[in-house]
Amino acid sequence: MPDTAPLPSVHGQRLKVIAAGIMISLLLLAGGSIELVNSYRATLEQGYHQTQLNSLLFAAWMQQDLREVELMQNMLAEQLEEPDFIIRSGPQRNALEARLVHAMRGIPQAYDIMLVDNRCQLVLSFKVSPGFDASESSYCKAMLAPTRDDRFVSSRFQNSSGETVVVATQRVRGLSGRVIGLIGTVIRTSHFQQLLDRSLISGRYDEMGFMDSQLQLLARLPTLTSLPTQPQSDAQARAMLARSDSEASYERVSPLDGRLRLYSTRKIERLPLLVTVGLDKSTLLAGWYTRAWLYLSCWLLISLLLAYCLLRYRQGSRRLEQLAIRSIAMDHAAEAIAIANADGVVEYANPAFERLSGYSNAELQGKAQLDALLLADHPELQGDMLQALIAGDTWRGELASKHRDGHEYFETVSVAPVLSPEGRVQYTVAIKHDISDAKQLQAELQRLANTDELTGLYNRRQFMQRTSEEIARSQRWERPLTLAMLDLDHFKQLNDRYGHPFGDEVLRRFAACCQTTVRLEDVCGRLGGEEFAILLPDTDRYSASQVMERVRDAVANLQLDNPQGGAPVQFTVSIGISELYPGDTTSTPMMARADAALYLAKQEGRNQVRSG
């Protein structure tokens, strides 16, 4: 048995491991917290940077789309003169309309183009009748306002057709620089929504929005079924406009879907329009949340490990006492016990192991491999045993082994691994039990249960079992099968004349004669008294008749010493055979036919073979 003295040093190492584990746990907790805080800030900073970049690209994209309208309006403003805002009919009017139609073809986003004079009266439109008073419209008020910027985009409104539109306007100045009217390009908000639908946003819950300076939503992605009637309640965006800043980054909960996002709202240069890009915060921080849970799980795992080590330390002294008790118990155990280290080398074998195998602890310790020692006579089982041990399972086997002096014995072997907390095999414990007496008794009981004690042939129960098996095999493989029923002629007279011991000898000699005459694969059995049966697999009725003729002839030539003196005693046998028919599912029909054939042999004078 391994010496238990080094165990106190193991306890000391456990204390060092616990101390080191505490330090590692604290360092991981502190380092993880710092890293999580830093990564949280870095992730948010990266998110804001991404939204700012996206809003910048979004604003440039929308500005480019409106730039086409601006170029067209600049071209028309240079061509228009004050009389163009007075003409109501005639060729000049038709020429003006033709110019506007030609201009609209160059800007597909234009729903309508209109001219409004400096008194806010509609001069020309393809959708609204001339003479409409636009003095209350935001674009007309912007034209009359004392600002230097000649371009303006109105708030959204519904036109006479019920469509939501905005008007992008351009002041038209005369040669003196005085405002003589404006050019208005009507754009449906659905055009802006189509632009957004063609864009790609990075996340499922991210947001893009296009608004006017009153924070009225013109388009949004993800798409809404209908645009809100009220301006957006975005205090940070309003503060940006109040400060005349071009961009603002902030965090807020969207009133449209209730999700928290990082927003970058940006004003489109020289236009009263804004774009906003929102990055979903929970999606952005998904990786950070995973790292946080990972750090927390690791820390909890280490804490549990420390608690486990402390528990093991408290149990250490008790285990020393238990190890000492177990050592004494194994030395005095009646079972053969052997213990091997992680490399499979035997470190201990108790005295009972020496008595069973013949090998002492001194001969085995540090020298012999446990698997080779246990399975020296069965090397093919070593692989199975090693696989079971590596998997942490107990391997059990019933073996026929040889003692060192060469005699054979039977044993049960149980081999179990002792695993470390990491799941590695530290030790292997083997327990052997001598079952030679039990195996001998079992074999004898098996023999008595299956054979006839007098003749050594199968008894009726075992013969019928073998018959059922052969019938199933014959039908599965479509092979012939024949049954022979044998009965000794005038056996009762022999028994009465020469005595029962002589009758028993007749039965033994007859059984031996049958076994030596038929093939090894043929099945012989005693059904009772002087009635016997022989099953011939893979044999048809014709071949079976020839075999049975040899048996009959061999029996007729037997000679037994006369117990009363005088001439040797001879006897004969009558035999009936029957082949298995295709419809036979049990042995009953075949045996009935063989019995009938046997009866016929008896009726025709005995010492004959007949088929049924």
Side-chain angles (χ1 to χ4, degrees):
M1 183 70 184
D3 191 3
T4 57
L7 288 176
S9 65
V10 175
H11 295 156
Q13 287 193 358
R14 286 199 187 107
L15 289 177
K16 294 179 181 179
V17 170
I18 292 172
I22 293 174
M23 293 183 63
I24 292 174
S25 177
L26 294 176
L27 288 174
L28 282 176
L29 184 61
S33 300
I34 294 173
E35 197 278 336
L36 286 175
V37 171
N38 292 336
S39 66
Y40 181 84
R41 292 174 178 172
T43 303
L44 289 183
E45 183 178 352
Q46 182 182 1
Y48 279 121
H49 179 72
Q50 181 178 344
T51 57
Q52 291 167 1
L53 179 60
N54 290 345
S55 69
L56 181 62
L57 295 174
F58 187 18
W61 184 31
M62 299 304 292
Q63 187 177 27
Q64 178 63 31
D65 184 71
L66 293 172
R67 178 66 175 168
E68 298 175 3
V69 177
E70 180 184 2
L71 292 175
M72 182 273 294
Q73 289 179 339
N74 286 338
M75 179 188 68
L76 288 177
E78 292 177 357
Q79 297 174 1
L80 292 174
E81 297 178 355
E82 188 168 355
D84 293 326
F85 289 89
I86 301 175
I87 301 172
R88 292 292 185 266
S89 61
Q92 292 179 336
R93 170 75 174 197
N94 295 335
L96 178 60
E97 290 180 353
R99 275 188 289 169
L100 294 183
V101 170
H102 179 73
M104 281 185 64
R105 290 173 180 170
I107 45 174
Q109 58 266 47
Y111 173 69
D112 188 17
I113 292 181
M114 61 185 182
L115 295 182
V116 179
D117 62 19
N118 55 10
R119 293 179 292 109
C120 295
Q121 297 298 308
L122 183 64
V123 176
L124 191 150
S125 170
F126 296 104
K127 302 293 183 181
V128 182
S129 300
F132 174 75
D133 185 2
S135 58
E136 295 300 323
S137 62
S138 60
Y139 56 84
C140 194
K141 292 179 181 179
M143 176 184 68
L144 300 176
T147 59
R148 298 181 62 183
D149 195 350
D150 288 341
R151 302 200 69 236
F152 178 74
V153 178
S154 72
S155 300
R156 78 175 199 218
F157 63 93
Q158 285 190 333
N159 61 11
S160 59
S161 301
E163 295 181 293
T164 305
V165 297
V166 296
V167 180
T169 64
Q170 167 75 48
R171 284 175 179 159
V172 180
R173 296 179 182 270
L175 295 177
S176 63
R178 184 176 64 87
V179 176
I180 61 175
L182 64 82
I183 302 171
T185 302
V186 181
I187 304 173
R188 287 177 288 197
T189 56
S190 59
H191 167 72
F192 302 124
Q193 186 62 52
Q194 290 172 2
L195 291 179
L196 262 64
D197 290 341
R198 291 200 299 267
S199 67
L200 295 176
I201 56 177
S202 57
R204 176 183 177 185
Y205 299 109
D206 295 343
E207 179 183 1
M208 295 176 68
F210 184 46
M211 302 179 291
D212 60 23
S213 59
Q214 302 302 317
L215 302 189
Q216 282 278 7
L217 200 59
L218 303 179
R220 180 183 184 269
L221 200 65
T223 306
L224 298 173
T225 55
S226 62
L227 294 175
T229 58
Q230 299 298 322
Q232 295 294 293
S233 58
D234 191 338
Q236 291 87 345
R238 295 187 184 280
M240 179 196 75
L241 294 174
R243 296 191 304 268
S244 298
D245 292 340
S246 61
E247 191 272 340
S249 298
Y250 49 90
E251 176 182 311
R252 80 180 182 101
V253 176
S254 171
L256 298 176
D257 56 14
R259 298 193 70 86
L260 180 62
R261 295 186 177 91
L262 306 182
Y263 283 95
S264 173
T265 301
R266 187 177 299 273
K267 186 176 181 300
I268 297 179
E269 186 178 358
R270 298 190 301 109
L271 289 174
L273 297 172
L274 293 85
V275 296
T276 182
V277 175
L279 188 63
D280 186 65
K281 188 174 182 180
S282 61
T283 303
L284 177 66
L285 294 175
W288 182 86
Y289 289 138
T290 301
R291 288 194 297 272
W293 279 111
L294 180 61
Y295 278 120
L296 179 61
S297 300
C298 290
W299 185 79
L300 289 176
L301 182 62
I302 292 174
S303 299
L304 292 174
L305 181 61
L306 289 175
Y308 175 73
C309 291
L310 288 173
L311 180 63
R312 291 293 301 271
Y313 175 72
R314 292 182 60 185
Q315 295 174 344
S317 58
R318 176 59 181 164
R319 288 188 176 181
L320 285 175
E321 181 180 358
Q322 291 175 348
L323 285 173
I325 295 173
R326 291 172 186 173
S327 176
I328 296 173
M330 283 191 289
D331 283 342
H332 294 81
E335 305 293 336
I337 301 174
I339 300 176
N341 59 22
D343 296 325
V345 178
V346 176
E347 291 192 356
Y348 169 76
N350 69 349
F353 193 93
E354 179 180 2
R355 291 192 297 271
L356 183 60
S357 66
Y359 295 97
S360 66
N361 183 48
E363 294 175 292
L364 301 176
Q365 191 174 30
K367 302 172 185 177
Q369 287 286 333
L370 182 62
D371 56 346
L373 178 65
L374 297 176
L375 302 175
D377 299 313
H378 306 278
E380 69 279 2
L381 299 178
Q382 292 183 15
D384 294 340
M385 185 182 76
L386 291 177
Q387 287 182 2
L389 296 178
I390 293 173
D393 299 329
T394 299
W395 183 86
R396 294 180 176 86
E398 185 175 302
L399 309 174
S401 302
K402 289 185 179 180
H403 190 273
R404 186 176 188 178
D405 61 12
H407 79 267
E408 188 177 65
Y409 63 94
F410 292 94
E411 62 180 355
T412 57
V413 180
S414 176
V415 185
V418 178
L419 303 178
S420 67
E422 296 79 19
R424 293 193 297 268
V425 177
Q426 285 186 321
Y427 295 97
T428 304
V429 180
I431 300 176
K432 301 172 54 165
H433 178 64
D434 188 356
I435 59 169
S436 299
D437 294 341
K439 290 292 289 185
Q440 184 177 359
L441 178 60
Q442 180 184 5
E444 181 62 21
L445 292 176
Q446 185 73 18
R447 187 189 67 79
L448 293 175
N450 295 332
T451 61
D452 175 61
E453 185 176 4
L454 177 63
T455 63
L457 302 180
Y458 284 139
N459 57 21
R460 184 182 187 88
R461 184 187 65 83
Q462 185 62 18
F463 182 83
M464 297 304 294
Q465 174 65 30
R466 287 296 308 274
T467 301
S468 299
E469 294 171 359
E470 289 298 332
I471 289 175
R473 188 180 72 86
S474 174
Q475 292 176 337
R476 182 169 62 250
W477 299 109
E478 297 182 354
R479 301 293 297 170
L481 176 68
T482 303
L483 174 68
M485 302 292 291
L486 302 90
D487 190 87
L488 297 181
D489 298 330
H490 304 299
F491 177 75
K492 186 177 183 305
Q493 296 178 11
L494 292 173
N495 226 12
D496 294 341
R497 182 175 178 179
Y498 298 108
H500 290 290
F502 182 79
D504 291 344
E505 181 62 21
V506 169
L507 294 176
R508 281 193 290 269
R509 292 287 298 275
F510 172 75
C513 180
C514 289
Q515 286 184 306
T516 57
T517 305
V518 300
R519 302 169 301 175
L520 290 177
E521 61 267 28
D522 297 334
V523 181
C524 300
R526 182 186 179 192
L527 303 185
E530 69 273 22
E531 185 181 6
F532 294 81
I534 299 176
L535 194 65
L536 296 95
D538 298 323
T539 306
D540 57 22
R541 182 166 52 182
Y542 175 76
S543 299
S545 298
Q546 294 179 328
V547 174
M548 290 301 103
E549 282 291 347
R550 290 198 300 270
V551 171
R552 184 198 61 75
D553 186 63
V555 171
N557 292 324
L558 287 176
Q559 294 185 354
L560 281 73
D561 293 336
N562 191 331
Q564 299 176 357
V569 179
Q570 291 182 292
F571 59 93
T572 59
V573 62
S574 296
I575 304 174
I577 64 174
S578 176
E579 190 174 358
L580 181 68
Y581 289 179
D584 294 343
T585 57
T586 65
S587 60
T588 302
M590 183 169 60
M591 294 187 72
R593 292 191 297 271
D595 271 332
L598 175 61
Y599 178 77
L600 180 61
K602 291 282 190 180
Q603 291 295 320
E604 293 182 356
R606 295 182 173 84
N607 192 24
Q608 296 185 36
V609 177
R610 290 290 182 267
S611 298

